[in-house]
Every structure is written in structure tokens, then in C-alpha cells.
Amino acid sequence: MSGQTQRLNVVPTVTMLGAMKARLVGATRGHALLKKKSDALTVQFRQILKKIVSAKESMGEVMKTSAFSLTEAKYVAGDNIKHIVLENVQTAAIKIRSRQENIAGVKLPKFEHYSDGETKNDLTGLARGGQQIQLCRGAYVKAIEVLVELASLQTSFLTLDEAIKTTNRRVNALENVVKPRIENTISYIKGELDELEREDFFRLKKIQGYKRREIERQRINAKLYAEEQLAEKISLQKGVSMTSAHNLLSAAAEKDEDIIF
């Protein structure tokens, strides 16, 4: 549905015209705000996308380094090092916590890693390979940092993508549906009000013409009645008929006109 048919079904009154204008102002402001929000989210979306690409590029190198460090540690300390590490570890030394970051009204989840206590690895690698085990641990800590950062960026990326789609749908709805419909409704109400005003003006002219004709008719009737009364009076005074009395009045009127002109 498009054109003038795309409008709201309202009663064309002055009150409704004011309400539609107020709705149009609100829709225009809302469209502008949502457009700014969409632009801000798009900028943040592109920045996060760049960070994701950078994190994925570095992740391959970090994971390769950590895997190679584990192989070196096993080679130096032996395969039994796995059981020794598990015996010394009771709780996780590195933990993850989440927080929320507000971007243009959209809450983006952020993940951070932190160390909780000290790692009990005093006896790990005491026999041999202690230095290589520490290097392997540092490599995997770096891998965890990259993984946490990538998970945070990926989650924010998906959240922003959904928020941008929703915001763009609202912007398009306001721009292509709501505002044109309100504008068409305002045009329709103005046209109807103008038509009513023309009808009222025509009706007023007809009423004025009718009043003028009625006044003229009443004046003529009053004149005829006065002449009839005067003719009846003359007829009684001079003892002539009503026709003769009317003739006398007509002659007197013609005489007066001759005197005036």
C-alpha cells in the first residue's frame, strides 16, 4: 500500500490534526536518534571486527608456541610430568569474570581473566625440566589470555550484530512506513478540513442570500399591506370601491414621482 491510501484511519478534525503533527515530530526525533545510535553501533562493530581479525591472527602463533612448549617440557621432564602437575594443582589459578559495557544503550559482555592465589608448583620439575615447565606454563597462560580476549570480542560482535539489525529495522520502519503514513494522514486531514471550510463558506453565502430574499419579501408584503390598509381607509372616507381607491393611490404615487424628478 502506497501513496495517499497509506494513511491512518482517523476522523478529520482540528484536534486530530494537532495530534498527528505531534506524532510526526516525535517520529522525526526518534528516527534521528535511532539513526545516530545505528551509526555509533556500526563504528563500534567495525572496531571490534578489526580486533577479532588481529586476535585470530595472533592466536595461531600463540597456540603453536604453547603446543611446542608442551612437547619440549615432555621431552625434558618425561611423560610422567602430567601426573606431577595434577597432584600439585588443587584449584584453578586463573579464573574468568564478566562485566558489561554500555555502548549507545546496548550492553556488551566483557570477559576478563585474573589470578586467584599462587600456583603450587614448588616440587614440579625439581628433578629435571623445571625451567622448561615454567616456560610451558607461561605459553599456555598467554594462550588463555588470547582465548579470553577472543571470546569477549566474539560475544560482543554477535550482540552488536543483533542490536544493529534491530535498530536498522526500526529506522527503516520509521523512515519508510510510520513517517509517510503520518504525513499522508496529515495531508488527508488538511484536505478534508479545507473541503469543510469551502462547504461552510458556500452554505453561509446561500443562507445570506436566503435571508436577503426573505427580508425583501417581508418588505414587499409590508408595503402591500400598508397600501391595502390605506386603500381601505380611502374607500371608507370617500365612499368609493377598493379598486377606485387603489387607482387614486397609484395616481398620487405617479404625481409624487413627477414632482420629485
Side-chain angles (χ1 to χ4, degrees):
M1 188 167 54
S2 62
Q4 293 297 326
T5 58
Q6 187 183 6
R7 61 174 178 82
L8 300 175
N9 188 14
V10 297
V11 180
T13 60
V14 177
T15 304
M16 186 57 66
L17 178 62
M20 287 295 104
K21 287 183 178 180
R23 288 182 63 178
L24 181 60
V25 171
T28 304
R29 291 179 179 175
H31 176 266
L33 291 175
L34 286 176
K35 188 65 176 175
K36 291 180 180 179
K37 178 180 178 180
S38 177
D39 294 340
L41 292 179
T42 303
V43 171
Q44 188 69 21
F45 182 81
R46 291 174 179 173
Q47 292 178 355
I48 291 178
L49 183 59
K50 291 180 181 178
K51 292 180 181 179
I52 288 175
V53 173
S54 177
K56 285 187 175 181
E57 289 176 352
S58 63
M59 183 178 177
E61 186 67 27
V62 171
M63 295 302 293
K64 182 179 71 174
T65 303
S66 59
F68 188 71
S69 298
L70 178 61
T71 303
E72 289 181 342
K74 286 183 178 181
Y75 177 77
V76 174
D79 293 336
N80 196 33
I81 190 65
K82 176 180 179 181
H83 302 287
I84 299 174
V85 172
L86 291 176
E87 289 177 358
N88 290 331
V89 175
Q90 301 296 329
T91 58
I94 299 177
K95 295 182 179 181
I96 307 297
R97 59 190 172 195
S98 63
R99 62 182 179 86
Q100 288 184 339
E101 184 178 358
N102 194 336
I103 302 295
V106 179
K107 295 182 179 179
L108 301 179
K110 294 290 183 180
F111 302 128
E112 297 176 347
H113 69 279
Y114 66 98
S115 299
D116 187 11
E118 297 180 356
T119 305
K120 297 180 180 180
N121 56 356
D122 299 335
L123 302 179
T124 306
L126 185 61
R128 56 177 180 170
Q131 183 178 4
Q132 194 62 42
I133 292 173
Q134 294 299 323
L135 292 175
C136 179
R137 180 181 181 276
Y140 271 96
V141 169
K142 180 65 176 177
I144 290 174
E145 293 177 359
V146 176
L147 284 173
V148 171
E149 181 184 3
L150 185 59
S152 178
L153 291 173
Q154 286 282 104
T155 306
S156 299
F157 179 83
L158 294 176
T159 305
L160 269 180
D161 183 53
E162 188 64 28
I164 289 173
K165 289 180 180 178
T166 303
T167 305
N168 287 338
R169 282 196 297 268
R170 293 175 180 174
V171 170
N172 293 332
L174 284 172
E175 184 175 357
N176 300 321
V177 178
V178 177
K179 288 179 64 179
R181 184 173 295 175
I182 295 176
E183 290 172 353
N184 291 338
T185 304
I186 291 175
S187 299
Y188 162 72
I189 294 175
K190 286 182 178 179
E192 290 295 321
L193 291 178
D194 291 341
E195 185 66 25
L196 289 175
E197 186 176 356
R198 286 191 293 268
E199 290 179 0
D200 290 339
F201 180 73
F202 178 76
R203 189 181 299 110
L204 183 60
K205 289 184 66 177
K206 295 288 287 185
I207 292 174
Q208 289 178 347
Y210 173 76
K211 286 183 177 180
R212 284 195 298 268
R213 290 193 300 270
E214 185 66 20
I215 292 172
E216 184 66 20
R217 186 182 64 82
Q218 291 178 1
R219 187 183 66 80
I220 293 173
N221 290 336
K223 181 179 179 181
L224 292 175
Y225 179 77
E227 290 178 352
E228 188 71 22
Q229 292 293 324
L230 184 58
E232 185 178 355
K233 183 178 180 182
I234 293 172
S235 176
L236 292 175
Q237 289 178 353
K238 296 186 176 183
V240 296
S241 63
M242 292 293 295
T243 305
S244 300
H246 281 293
N247 292 332
L248 291 173
L249 288 175
S250 300
E254 292 177 357
K255 185 178 180 180
D256 291 340
E257 289 178 0
D258 293 339
I259 293 173
I260 294 174
F261 299 101

